[in-house]
Amino acid sequence: QTDDGMLFIAMEYLEGQPLSLVLKTEKILPVRRMLHIVGQVCASLSEAHRRGVVHRDLKPDNIFLCQVEDNPDFVNVLDFGVAKVITDENLSAPGTLTQAGSIFGTPPYMAPEQWAGDRGDPRSDVYSLGCLLYQLLSGDVPFRGTQREVQRLHEEEQPQPLRNRVSGIPDDIARCVEQAMAKDPGQRFDDGNVFALALRQAVQA
């Protein structure tokens, strides 16, 4: 608040572009560039997860790329507007993380449990990141259709295997994407750090 009573918010100025804009001109990213970007997203999510925060709306619009020194793809994860803080208290109290009947997220990237209105946890963000990684490697989101159709597909169907959509995807990376997008949260990577480690190992394999 200024001395004369005017209210203001000071925010970091970011000079760059969202990943969504990059994908309009570069449909498929090279594996190395993908790993560089996704690894930073994983690190950002892991920091949030350690603090008990789940993003719940991870998508290309919310990944902002800046030029920082010699890094043209320095990642900022934006818009925690629908994020929730998980505490011991609200984990044991159904309905405190998400109001009954409320659904948060962006359809092409939403985990099955988000469609059901269940409280999310770090594995929900891992699912969304798996959908994003699928898009970066194939040039398209895993599922398309009306919102109802996309919901059913996320809840019930497996996406077309990456190796059937684009050639040259290493098998280990394809398996990482499949695990991240498992319908059962218990079969996914536990958080962003575990996902990033698996991707690095897949690239080095």
Side-chain angles (χ1 to χ4, degrees):
Q1 184 172 354
T2 62
D3 293 338
D4 58 358
M6 180 181 294
L7 300 177
F8 68 93
I9 298 176
M11 301 177 67
E12 180 184 6
Y13 174 70
L14 298 178
E15 186 173 1
Q17 60 184 341
L19 181 58
S20 55
L21 188 58
V22 173
L23 293 177
K24 287 184 178 180
T25 56
E26 303 178 47
K27 297 294 185 182
I28 298 176
L29 297 189
V31 170
R32 292 289 176 180
R33 187 180 184 193
M34 170 279 298
L35 185 66
H36 178 63
I37 292 172
V38 171
Q40 293 176 82
V41 176
C42 285
S44 180
L45 288 177
S46 294
E47 181 179 355
H49 294 160
R50 285 195 302 272
R51 298 171 183 267
V53 176
V54 180
H55 190 286
R56 301 200 300 175
D57 193 22
L58 195 64
K59 57 186 177 183
D61 282 334
N62 290 338
I63 298 172
F64 199 85
L65 306 178
C66 297
Q67 173 83 40
V68 176
E69 296 180 348
D70 60 348
N71 181 2
D73 288 325
F74 184 88
V75 169
N76 289 267
V77 178
L78 308 180
D79 197 1
F80 281 75
V82 297
K84 277 293 182 179
V85 177
I86 298 177
T87 66
D88 291 339
E89 290 75 18
N90 61 31
L91 272 176
S92 61
T96 56
L97 286 175
T98 302
Q99 293 179 340
S102 298
I103 296 177
F104 296 100
T106 300
Y109 309 95
M110 285 171 59
E113 61 271 19
Q114 288 180 273
W115 287 103
D118 293 345
R119 60 176 178 261
D121 65 20
R123 296 169 299 181
S124 303
D125 284 344
V126 167
Y127 183 96
S128 298
L129 188 52
C131 293
L132 174 64
L133 183 53
Y134 186 103
Q135 180 180 3
L136 296 180
L137 292 169
S138 72
D140 200 2
V141 293
F143 303 119
R144 286 196 174 275
T146 65
Q147 180 168 312
R148 186 176 297 275
E149 289 169 344
V150 170
Q151 175 180 354
R152 184 190 67 79
L153 292 168
H154 276 294
E155 292 177 333
E156 301 176 5
E157 302 291 339
Q158 298 300 324
Q160 183 180 1
L162 272 171
R163 286 156 290 187
N164 293 353
R165 297 193 66 163
V166 60
S167 61
I169 299 296
D171 289 346
D172 288 340
I173 290 181
R175 281 192 286 269
C176 283
V177 177
E178 291 169 2
Q179 182 173 343
M181 293 184 61
K183 306 300 182 187
D184 178 2
Q187 296 179 0
R188 299 175 202 152
F189 302 104
D190 288 336
D191 58 30
N193 268 339
V194 179
F195 190 15
L197 176 61
L199 284 173
R200 288 196 295 270
Q201 291 174 340
V203 170
Q204 294 166 2

